[in-house]
Every structure is written in structure tokens, then in C-alpha cells.
Amino acid sequence: MNSFILKGDIIYSKNREELSAFPDSYLMCRDGISEGVYKELSDIPETYKSLKLIDFSGKLIIPGMSDLHLHAPQYGFRGLWGDMELLDWLNIHTFPEEARYAEVPYAKRAYEIFIKDMLTTSTTRFCAFFSIHREATELLMDLTEESGLKAYIGKVNMDRNSPDYLCETTEESFEETLRWLSDTRERHYKNVLPILTPRFIPSCTDELMKKLGGLIEETGLPLQSHLSENKSEIDWVKELCPESSCYGDAYEGFGCFGSHGNKTIMAHCVWSGDEEIELMKKNGVYIAHSPSSNTNIASGIAPIRKYLELGLNLSLATDMSGGTTNSIIRIMTDAISVSKLYWRLCDESKKPLTFPEAFYLATLGGGSFFGKVGSLEKGYEFDAVVLDDSELETPMEGRLSLTERLERYCYIAGERPVEHKFVAGQMLF
Amino acid sequence: MNSFILKGDIIYSKNREELSAFPDSYLMCRDGISEGVYKELSDIPETYKSLKLIDFSGKLIIPGMSDLHLHAPQYGFRGLWGDMELLDWLNIHTFPEEARYAEVPYAKRAYEIFIKDMLTTSTTRFCAFFSIHREATELLMDLTEESGLKAYIGKVNMDRNSPDYLCETTEESFEETLRWLSDTRERHYKNVLPILTPRFIPSCTDELMKKLGGLIEETGLPLQSHLSENKSEIDWVKELCPESSCYGDAYEGFGCFGSHGNKTIMAHCVWSGDEEIELMKKNGVYIAHSPSSNTNIASGIAPIRKYLELGLNLSLATDMSGGTTNSIIRIMTDAISVSKLYWRLCDESKKPLTFPEAFYLATLGGGSFFGKVGSLEKGYEFDAVVLDDSELETPMEGRLSLTERLERYCYIAGERPVEHKFVAGQMLF
């Protein structure tokens, strides 16, 4: 079923610093897993020569990308209210809009648009916050399952410092979480998994956080949240958890920072100090670097070179709708851009992110959260997208390397729909 | 001929801080000049009711935008070599590629692509550097003339510190400039005007600069060049012109800084000091703010709020191919983004650019360089573009104001082709 051969111009990360490029070559998928690249048709073993050949000659074939942090109920208003400060943005617009997702028909209309649009991007896997509403969360899980995209999806927990119309009691928040987890198990999803999602420490009581930590200890469930996005948020957490030595340590104290060996994502980490960084490294926490959002909400620039040098688990994220784009390709170039400003304005010892490094983060960096994902090398799950750069005319045509063509596509066409998409060997279109 | 009525959702700048929005209204053009907006068909004077009505109901109608700084021969390689430092980028790629424009067939192929793509953007008027090659410059002027876009176009002068294959003698540079100006006059262009274009002080001898200054005194011709883009460039100018008190003063000393009352554009101004700023204000110099390029080449962030507060002539520019996008809409959102980082990282007293302010710079800010251009108010030259946001589905449809729809379009669809374009009352498509 999920076995075939693609022909085209194939590129993926060789390592963190370099790309492997195979012009006009053959890429084999067997039972949803990559068998790697063959330069000639004659190199393909005899037994596989009868597999269906799909000809994408002249087009770019790259690994699918992963988006490790986004808020699905905010998708409808991406690109709006960019002139507002964070608190006004939350209270005047974001919270009232999120509250609408209590109504399932509204959520359905919204999530159908979200999924339809996500299909057009280079993203094959994502991790998403939803709202506190269990039913709507389950609806989105169903829609994602049907789409063929793969995702971790979380019902949000909020039991304090939230408007009345978007706040649970501690009991209710935990009970609804258990019911959601049980519903999820019963549905036997192939593509979707649940992930615990306390919004962030300011909106969850100690009691709720401890209950979630206990649940992790019991089940090994993954967790996603926000960390050190802006300085006043950090001060607030210090007030709320005076016994903790840093924001990350507050999560750690509740058993919600990867210390049980469970997979954990923390979005942003713009202002993480040495102790917090150390703790993330020790626990294998994934940083979801969200440059577009960090710029848009004027949070700052995360020290991405420092995290790379320290060997932390690093990925890219749109953070819709703090961020405005749904394209991880655009996020790659945004990540490079802000790293250049960081180098120029903040610390000239931290050299800018290179294009191959950003590509690595977009593919293998985030992909590794999902398993053996993010490369077209033999043994990886077969997530691939096909890009058509033939409409991007240039008088230099024919003189550009494959890597140059990819870089050019990403910079000037990064928000255009991709041509074709495969997830775990399934051709979605 | 150029008289008609458009129906649609009309928006333009009321002033620097606010937008005027007219949902489902009528915009009249008479002989290429706007007659302003009518809310009802019945408000239109009887004599004009027979004018052709073009129905763009449900679409956004905004003023055409101006791009005050770009390098046309660099268009073919936008989005490439973003990981290189400026000097390598110039010497390894940019200069060799610019040298190819000595060959007219190559230039023709390249400029046809450039013009075809520029037509799809929100830009109706631009100011462009070409190469040192007179013939290719004239070719581009012909192609621009035919396209219906309006532009100031300049043959570049370079007589020092440039590779042999892309360097003129002082005499040759000046003579070719005179011949180009004479050719230009003979062609009686309607849409295109020449602009003197010394590349920047490091690539032009004092003698050449003085000759150009003399030509300005004689003819009142406009001039465009680069100013205070990065710190090592500023140091270099200090070495080359030790008698000048700042980079801007060096241009001023040669009569090339607007002191003869001629229109003058300086690109970048990232690191301009108080004296230079004062001189720009005194002489009415236009700053071509190029946020995408300043980020991409890691130059820094220009203090745009300071320039706004001081009331300088301010416009936006793509600076292709230091910048990667050809869309001034994208440049608007980039300008807002970098102003947020400037506020957060450099100076918290300089609040970020707002969306209406960025829109003002993209339309009236740059448009005023061309005359009464950049608005749809009565009396302005009729430059307009039509945007279709109907494909940007959202569950909030029907609840968004016209201004919100415009902001959303700019953030999430700013690099898509526009639907229709009018320049000085001529419908290009």
C-alpha cells in the first residue's frame, strides 16, 4: 500500500550544519518507511522495480516539517491586532474568542478551516494547544485523524487568573482531563495522541499542577506548556511560586518538566537563565522556538545559537496566533533573521543561524519529538513534501545548485502551498 | 479615457496615525485623478453617472504603494546566499552577476522577469538602481515605460574600489551619464524619469561626486544613494573623506545631499547620528527604510520612531536583493516587526510602529516623492490596487471591520499577487 518510488530533486539534512542534495534521483518508500535515495533507476534492487514510480522531475522533494507549538482556536484571528500589548490582546480579543469554542458547531467550522489550511503547508506533524473545552478538543482530534496529518493535541487546563467564562475549577479541570484521556483511548486514533497542556503556571493552581504531575508519573504522558516568554511573566511566576529558584524549577517541582522521562515541550524560552537551561538539558525538554511570535508580541529574541551550542532539544514553531504565519518554512527564515539581529544587537559572539541549521531544526529538530521523523534517509518514517520552484523565474536558471534552489524557494515562496504531501508513506495529495 | 467609478471596500490613510475606511462605497477617477469617495451611488453628481462602473464589491481597494530603493540587476538572485557576510556577498556573487548586465540580451531576459513580477505586487511606483551599463539601463527604462508602472531609474556610477570588470574611469562614468540623460530626454517617456545614482561614496571618487553635484546644480536632477547602512561602511567613509563631519556631510560637501533643492533619497540610515539627521531634515532628504535588507545583511534596526517624531521624509523600500521580498506590503509588516524588537532590545522610549503608520509610510510616505500620490482622497493621482481577501477563510467572517480585514490581509497574504492595479488612472490589469 504505502510503497512507491518518487523521482525528483531530493534534499534533506546530512547533519546539523550540512544538507545532502541528490539532483534527479529516486527515493523509495516501503511500508511507510524511507528506503533512502538511489541515484539511478538501475541501482534499485530488482524486487522493488515493480513499485509505482511517481515522477516529480524538476521539483524539490524535502522532508515534511514539524510545528511544535500552536494554538488552534487562535487560528481564525492570525494577523489581527498586532499593535496591541499582550494583556490587552488576551483580555479584549483572545480569551473571548477562545470562549466561543464551547459551541461545537463554531469549533467545527473553525477547525475545518484550520486543517484545510495546514494541509497546504510544509507541516506534516504538529503539537497544538486547544481550549479548555473537551468536546471541541476531541472534535479537532477527529478532524486531524481524518486529514492524515499527525499531531499531539492537548485540552488546555486553566483554573486561576483567567476570566470567569474561560476558567475551570481545579476538580473540573482534572476530571475533564481524565475523561478526555479516556475518550481518546476509546477512539483508537492512528494519527493523533493526547498531550497534557497546562496553559502556563500563572493560569494553573499548585494543586492542579501537582495532579497533572502525578498523572505523568502514573502514565508517562507527554506535556506541553509555555516558559520564560517575557520578563513580567517570569516575575509573576516568581511571586506565585516563591519557593522555586526559576520558572523551569517551578514546573520541575510539580513533576511537569520532563523529570519522569516523559516527552516535554516548552514554548519560547526567550529569557531562560543558566539554571533553567541546565534543567532543560538534563531532562531533555524540547524548546519550541517561535521567532515570529516573539517578535510580534515584542517578547525579544531567544538565544538560539547558545541552545544549539549546548546541544538542547530544539525545534521551530509558528505559535499561531502570537505568530502570524502557518508556514514553518517562513519560520525558518524568520529564525535566521532574528538570529542576525541578536548577533548584531545583543551578543556578537553568537553567530547567526545558517540556512542548513534552520532547515535541520524545521525537519529533524522537531521531527525527533515524534520518533524517527524529519529525514529522507533510510529508516525514517516517510514524511515528504514536494515544492515547485519552476514559477520563480530567474535569469540564473540552470546555474543554481539544488541547495541554492531550496534556499531561494524558502525565502521568496515560503508561504505558498506545497505541491504534494506524504505522511508516514500516505500520499495526502 | 481614464475616468471611471470603482465600487468596493475602500481604505486609505486619513493621516499618519489613522485610516479612513469606506465599506461598500464608490471611488471616482476623472482624467487619472481621484475625485474621492461617495458612500452612495446617488451621491455622485449627475454628469458623472454615465461613467463606467467597475464592480469590486467585497474586495479591498487601497492606494498603490511606492518602493523607494531597489537594485534591479540583483532581482534574479533575491533569496540567495543569505548566510554570507556583506563583502563576500558583493565580491563572490553580486558584482560578477551585475557585470553580466553589460550583455543586453541577458539584461532583457532579466528585466522582463523583474517587470512581470513587479506588476503582480502592490507597488505602483519605484526608484531603482541599475548597473553601470547605460544600454541596459535604457532598456529597463523602456520596459518600465511600456508596463505602465512609474519609476525613477538610475544608471549607477562607480569609479573606485570596485572590481575591474565593474568599474568606470571618472571621465567615462560622467560622459556615459550625460549620454544616458540625453538619450532619456529624446525618448520622451511618460512614466519614467532619470535619477542620478552614485553607488555610494566608497565607490565614487571626489572628482566624480563633485561633477555629479555640479550637474545637480545645473539641472535640478534628483539623486539616490546609500547612507549609514553599517558601521564599518561609516568608518570607511570617514577615512575617505576626513574633512567631513559625518557620512551625510560628505555627500553635502559634494552638493549631493539635497542642498540644491533637488529631490534626494538615501537608503537605510540605520546608524545616522544627530548631525546627519539634522542635515536630512534641513534638506528634505527622503529616508528609504529597508527593514528586510537591514535584517538580512545584519546591519541593524533603523530608529524609525525617532525619524517619525522628528518629521523626516520617510518611506519604505524592499532594497532587493539585500532584502528578499518584492512586496511593500511584506515590508510594512517587517517594519513593524523590527520596530518592536528595537523597542524591546534597544530603546524602550521608542514605541513600535503601528499598522496605520506602516500603511502611511507605504502609501503617502513614499508616494509624496512622486508628487500628489499615495492616497485615494480627492486630488491625488489615481494609483490603486485591489486585494481579494475572500480566500482567507475565518470563522470570524462578518465580524471583522474593514481595517481589521486589511491588517489581516497584509500579515497573512502580503506576498500574494494583487487582483487589479491602476496607475495614474490607467488600469494595468
Side-chain angles (χ1 to χ4, degrees), chain B residues 143-267:
Chain B
L143 290 173
T144 306
E145 175 73 10
E146 284 163 31
S147 74
L149 296 169
K150 291 195 181 266
Y152 283 94
I153 289 173
K155 175 214 161 317
V156 167
N157 300 101
M158 298 165 78
D159 72 338
R160 69 168 168 187
N161 296 321
S162 307
D164 289 348
Y165 58 81
L166 199 70
C167 195
E168 309 159 296
T169 64
T170 305
E171 202 55 37
E172 189 185 3
S173 186
F174 193 66
E175 288 305 318
E176 282 291 277
T177 300
L178 292 180
R179 177 151 171 211
W180 160 62
L181 291 170
S182 150
D183 288 354
T184 301
R185 275 191 301 276
E186 278 171 21
R187 291 181 193 213
H188 301 290
Y189 291 126
K190 255 178 50 200
N191 297 325
V192 189
L193 287 166
I195 182 167
L196 295 178
T197 308
R199 193 174 194 116
F200 67 154
I201 282 179
S203 55
C204 296
T205 58
D206 291 6
E207 192 188 342
L208 179 56
M209 291 302 289
K210 280 180 203 157
K211 279 173 178 281
L212 294 175
L215 193 57
I216 289 171
E217 195 170 2
E218 202 179 293
T219 59
L221 278 166
L223 176 140
Q224 60 184 351
S225 198
H226 296 94
L227 182 66
S228 298
E229 183 173 4
N230 80 49
K231 288 178 170 177
S232 51
E233 171 207 14
I234 295 172
D235 291 343
W236 196 11
V237 172
K238 205 184 282 290
E239 262 175 52
L240 292 166
C241 305
E243 72 293 347
S244 301
S245 54
C246 63
Y247 194 166
D249 183 55
Y251 283 113
E252 173 86 351
F254 300 126
C256 292
F257 206 59
S259 53
H260 297 299
N262 64 318
K263 292 200 276 194
T264 301
I265 302 169
M266 288 288 152

Side-chain angles (χ1 to χ4, degrees), chain A residues 137-153:
Chain A
T137 306
E138 293 175 3
L139 174 72
L140 178 57
M141 293 175 90
D142 291 347
L143 290 173
T144 306
E145 174 73 11
E146 284 163 31
S147 74
L149 296 169
K150 292 196 180 266
Y152 283 95
I153 290 174

Side-chain angles (χ1 to χ4, degrees), chain B residues 6 24-25 102-103 107 121 131 159 192 208 213 276 301 357 384 421:
Chain B
L6 307 186
D24 205 28
S25 299
E103 305 156 33
T121 71
S131 59
D159 72 338
V192 189
L208 179 56
E276 192 163 284
I301 304 177
E357 287 172 333
K421 187 183 283 195

Side-chain angles (χ1 to χ4, degrees), chain A residues 76 82 106 298 340 344 394 399, chain B residues 76 82 106 298 340 344 394 399:
Chain A
Y106 188 78
K340 287 176 175 174
R344 172 61 74 212
T394 167
R399 284 185 287 138
Chain B
Y106 188 78
K340 287 176 174 172
R344 173 61 74 213
T394 167
R399 284 186 287 136

